[in-house]
Amino acid sequence: MSELSKPKEDLQDPVEAQGPMEAQLLEAEEDEATSHLASYLPASSSAPLEALPQEILNEMMANLMKFLLLSYRAKELTSQAEMLKKVLRDNQEHFPVVFSQASHCLELVCGVEVKEVDPREHIYIMVPNLGLTCDVMLSSGQSMPKAGLLVLILSLIMQNGDRAPEEKVWGALSRLGVCVGSVHCVFGEPRTLLTHVWVQEGYLEYRQVPYSYPARYEFLWGPRAYAETSKREVMAFLLRIKERASRAFPPLSAEAAREEDEAA
């Protein structure tokens, strides 16, 4: 029987499946990373959560993301019942909003999509976004998923005529707090990741702009990116993210926008 077909009661906790020292290191890494991921999420406007302090909401979402990432690494199914029992416990009434926000963050930042495979029992599986397998190739599976960042880079390349100047790529990443020369808790050192790791794996091409002096460099889609996904799929993903963002942040009315400008 495959891991994904095991009944819920047979599923082993991903941390328990590892040695004590390995589990402690993994938990320490994910505590820092998932707390950071929670900062990507907007404050919920849903009524049941309005009374909750933002730090408590962030902690709930970070804990749920950690649980989902552990299930993803272990290639295990999970269920709403498991999430309520193991993560939310005394905050079960907040599950719909917390789950929605955590799933959105995992998809946007980590490139992990949470799919419901059994609507009746509310059972879920986590899969790589857009079919990208870059995280599958990580040795021992102990690093945080990074496919979300790869999708962002591929989209930047598309938006710049299929070849993105590296200064535009670094500029876009720096606005997300991912800076060249600094080790990010999720993505590591970005120059190494983009110009070495993903180039060697075939997801990106990094080359000198022809006849440029002094030398300038640009990023292009690599052959593995073309093999595993398509520009149509990346565009559809971006549109889906944009629609979610517009629902989370509805446009200001003309009067509200004027009042905000006057207050500033």
Side-chain angles (χ1 to χ4, degrees):
M1 182 181 294
S2 69
E3 285 290 329
L4 295 181
S5 63
K6 289 183 179 179
K8 288 181 291 182
E9 59 268 23
D10 291 342
L11 294 178
Q12 186 178 17
D13 189 300
V15 174
E16 294 176 356
Q18 305 173 69
M21 181 59 70
E22 183 183 21
Q24 291 173 10
L25 293 173
L26 175 57
E27 286 188 338
E29 175 197 39
E30 288 186 330
D31 283 340
E32 178 185 6
T34 51
S35 297
H36 178 81
L37 294 183
S39 67
Y40 282 79
L41 293 167
S44 173
S45 59
S46 179
L49 291 181
E50 285 181 348
L52 283 179
Q54 187 61 42
E55 58 269 21
I56 295 179
L57 175 59
N58 284 345
E59 182 180 359
M60 291 164 58
M61 291 186 289
N63 288 337
L64 185 55
M65 284 187 282
K66 175 182 175 181
F67 176 81
L68 292 171
L69 282 171
L70 286 169
S71 297
Y72 171 68
R73 283 177 170 167
K75 297 186 173 72
E76 292 180 343
L77 299 172
T78 190
S79 67
Q80 178 175 325
E82 282 184 308
M83 288 182 266
L84 293 175
K85 179 181 178 181
K86 296 184 178 181
V87 183
L88 294 184
R89 299 187 185 93
D90 298 330
N91 298 285
Q92 297 189 7
E93 68 274 18
H94 303 297
F95 175 79
V97 172
V98 174
F99 176 72
S100 175
Q101 296 282 15
S103 300
H104 176 52
C105 187
L106 286 178
E107 185 175 22
L108 181 62
V109 181
C110 294
V112 175
E113 185 177 358
V114 183
K115 287 187 172 182
E116 190 172 38
V117 295
D118 186 338
R120 187 168 62 89
E121 298 292 335
H122 300 296
I123 296 175
Y124 300 88
I125 185 174
M126 279 63 69
V127 296
N129 213 356
L130 302 179
L132 295 168
T133 63
C134 55
D135 295 320
V136 177
M137 300 181 344
L138 295 170
S139 61
S140 76
Q142 296 306 300
S143 295
M144 291 288 289
K146 301 177 177 66
L149 183 66
L150 178 57
V151 173
L152 172 62
I153 304 304
L154 295 176
S155 67
L156 284 173
I157 295 171
M158 289 173 53
Q159 295 167 17
N160 284 274
D162 294 335
R163 55 189 67 209
E166 71 167 337
E167 57 269 22
K168 284 195 173 183
V169 172
W170 304 136
L173 294 186
S174 67
R175 290 192 291 273
L176 297 176
V178 182
C179 303
V180 174
S182 298
V183 177
H184 190 273
C185 68
V186 177
F187 306 120
E189 203 291 302
R191 181 178 293 278
T192 300
L193 179 63
L194 270 64
T195 64
H196 294 283
V197 177
W198 282 343
V199 168
Q200 292 175 359
E201 293 177 354
Y203 287 106
L204 296 175
E205 288 187 19
Y206 178 67
R207 69 184 189 188
Q208 182 178 344
V209 176
Y211 310 113
S212 62
Y213 184 80
R216 291 181 292 109
Y217 291 84
E218 60 187 5
F219 289 98
L220 295 84
W221 279 41
R224 194 176 189 111
Y226 281 110
E228 293 186 355
T229 189
S230 68
K231 294 179 181 178
R232 182 187 297 272
E233 290 178 304
V234 171
M235 185 60 66
F237 170 78
L238 294 175
L239 290 174
R240 188 163 70 250
I241 295 298
K242 184 177 180 180
E243 288 173 2
R244 289 178 181 175
S246 65
R247 289 197 297 268
F249 299 100
L252 291 173
S253 65
E255 182 179 354
R258 184 170 59 253
E259 290 176 355
E260 188 176 81
D261 289 340
E262 291 174 356

